[in-house]
Amino acid sequence: MNKRVGILTGGGDVQPLNSVISQIKIQAKRENIEVYGFLNGWKGIIENNFIDLSKISIPKNIGGTILRSSRVNLKNIENSSQIILENLKRLNISYLIVIGGEDTLSNSFLIMDFPQILISKTIDNDVG
């Protein structure tokens, strides 16, 4: 089986997100890695709502995110870490790329045992 990566975008929508998603997809294809996108950020992983990005075209010249976004605080959802880990395991996701600001990225610390790449989209240097 190929390696599989998951991507999510969270927080406010910003212009370059589709471009970032597109570039991840291009590089992953070169390395024979499957890419799944979770819809509506962390909510998408919790609800197991995803798309296979290899089957769609990503408009890298159109701003925003095709994955949509949400503001979810995993601390407010019972068993969120366990649900997320189970859903990632069920989909055979090898690692997760999390794109967002302080709120989105801070959720990553609740699943520290899972490999993640954090991409900050904040401009005010507020990511601890």
Side-chain angles (χ1 to χ4, degrees):
M1 178 190 334
N2 293 340
K3 209 176 241 190
R4 187 176 291 168
V5 62
I7 301 176
L8 69 84
T9 56
D13 201 1
V14 296
Q15 287 296 324
L17 290 174
N18 281 333
S19 182
V20 171
I21 295 165
S22 176
Q23 290 305 307
I24 290 169
K25 178 182 166 184
I26 289 167
Q27 186 62 35
K29 185 176 182 180
R30 287 184 190 137
E31 298 181 27
N32 202 29
I33 297 172
E34 297 175 3
V35 182
Y36 279 38
F38 291 98
L39 302 176
N40 300 308
W42 290 105
K43 184 178 177 185
I45 299 179
I46 290 170
E47 296 177 352
N48 215 26
N49 189 7
F50 61 91
I51 56 174
D52 180 347
L53 291 175
S54 69
K55 299 185 189 244
I56 64 167
S57 175
I58 300 172
K60 64 182 176 182
N61 295 325
I62 297 175
T65 172
I66 60 165
L67 298 177
R68 297 188 300 269
S69 186
S70 67
R71 295 186 187 273
V72 172
N73 186 334
L74 297 179
K75 291 179 183 176
N76 297 332
I77 301 171
E78 190 174 339
N79 299 321
S80 61
S81 298
Q82 180 181 349
I83 293 166
I84 287 169
L85 289 171
E86 288 172 0
N87 287 340
L88 291 171
K89 184 177 180 180
R90 189 176 307 117
L91 289 171
N92 295 314
I93 300 292
S94 303
Y95 59 96
L96 185 63
I97 299 174
V98 181
I99 307 168
E102 179 182 19
D103 291 336
T104 302
L105 299 181
S106 64
N107 283 324
S108 295
F109 296 107
L110 297 175
I111 55 168
M112 289 183 65
D113 292 338
F114 194 83
Q116 299 172 73
I117 296 172
L118 308 181
I119 300 176
S120 175
K121 65 175 183 70
T122 186
I123 60 169
D124 51 4
N125 199 26
D126 63 353
V127 178

